[in-house]
Amino acid sequence: DKGNHRHFMEKEIHEQPEAISHALGHYVDFLEHAVRPVAGSIDFAKVPSLAISACGTAYLAGLVGKYWFERYARLPVEIDVASEFRYREIPLNPESAALFISQSGETADTLASLRYCKEHGLKIGAVVNTRESSIARESDAVFPILAGPEIGVASTKAFTCQLTVLAALAIGAGKARGTLTAADEKALVRHLAEMPRVMAGVLNTIQPSIEQLARDLSKCKDVLYLGRGTSYPLAMEGALKLKEISYIHAEGYAAGELKHGPIALIDENMPVIVIAPHDRFFEKTVSNMQEVAARGGRIIFITDAKGAAASKLETMATIVLPDVDEVIAPMIYSLPIQLLAYHTAVFMGTDVDQPRNLAKSVTVE
Ligand code: M6R
């Protein structure tokens, strides 16, 4: 049932504050401002490294997770898309743990990477939406994302719930490894707890500016997304979402890679969507934006009030989000990129919930 929404995707985008509250309740103790000890048989204090593997959007959630595990838990992370991971002959340490992220829990390549790690003796954790799935069954520890059923082929609430669970796990790992103090943990958990409220506020306010922009995007043939730090996987997620449902060609790039190739594409016909909260990477990303502007590129700037004030560049549009801590920025910045893809596809009249050539669950290799 779509309720009063036109598509499941729209409904699922709007369900995110609630879905995330639900997920947070499982991983976080709001009264104590602490993460719950959910790691089960995975001893994050002892593992020398972590392997992560997944496909599509789940892989991009894992890529954000890598930044968190490395930063908060000082745990080196090896990550790859499952279809490469399983064939790369990665020298794996049997003392390590591996996480497999999958909404459906049935993705063939992800399951094959899981089995590969299991054969090599690693402890296996599953970050899944479907607890009764092959990936969950074959894991030592199951970390449910509790997003509720996701019907739209384009993943939305599963992505932000995967991020939420990975953030909580990384904070838990940091606590176990002594790389986060109790005060750090408290502060991070407070930020996580703010998420549902901040998301609801964003969903209530950005719609008009997004619809306006979607009308312009629907006329484009190519779109480039740029980001740095955790905004880099988000740039790739924005591009994936747009191509998946609107069939517009889009690429997500690390902002710093712009001058190593994609800058050659810049002209007034290819909008460049820059995802840049006013964080420790902001100045660097703005200098990449300047390079775009200097070549006549049109910029769609997704930032916060500080970022909007600090950049003096002329943009095609600026979407201003609330000022949030770095740990929740990926979830909050997911909202405009999801809505932008959604409304662009609606303008183009594509089959948003069932895009051509795609299936919700990819059980073939
Ligand atoms: O069920 P899974 O999470 O394992 O699926 C992985 C990908 O097939 C999936 O995320 C795909 O990329 C989505 N359609 C993206 O919106």
Side-chain angles (χ1 to χ4, degrees), residues 55-59 101-107 110 135 153-156 162 237 240-241 244 358-362:
C55 300
T57 287
Y59 162 72
I101 309 165
S102 175
Q103 189 285 130
S104 62
E106 300 296 345
T107 300
T110 309
I135 289 175
V153 165
S155 185
T156 53
Q162 285 160 349
E237 170 62 4
L240 176 61
K241 215 94 297 175
E244 205 173 15
L358 287 171
K360 183 66 186 161
S361 176
V362 183

Side-chain angles (χ1 to χ4, degrees), residues 270-291:
M270 185 183 68
V272 180
I273 302 185
V274 181
I275 304 167
H278 196 268
D279 56 16
R280 60 207 157 94
F281 311 110
F282 184 78
E283 296 301 325
K284 299 274 179 200
T285 307
V286 166
S287 74
N288 302 128
M289 263 169 73
Q290 269 152 356
E291 294 158 4

Side-chain angles (χ1 to χ4, degrees), residues 52 66 81 96 126 152 177 198 203 216 223 233 236-237 256 263 290 300 312 348:
I52 303 182
K66 173 187 164 86
V81 290
S96 295
R177 297 168 72 78
V198 177
L203 287 170
D216 296 333
V223 179
M236 290 194 276
E237 170 62 4
I263 199 164
Q290 269 152 356
I300 297 169
K312 302 278 177 278
M348 299 183 76

Side-chain angles (χ1 to χ4, degrees), residues 14 40 54 65 69 83 92 97 117 152 165 173 178 181 197 210 214 271 279 292 304 320 346:
H14 287 272
F69 278 105
S83 55
L92 292 169
C117 287
V165 172
T181 63
R197 183 185 51 81
I210 295 275
D279 56 16
V292 173
D304 48 31
V320 181
V346 169

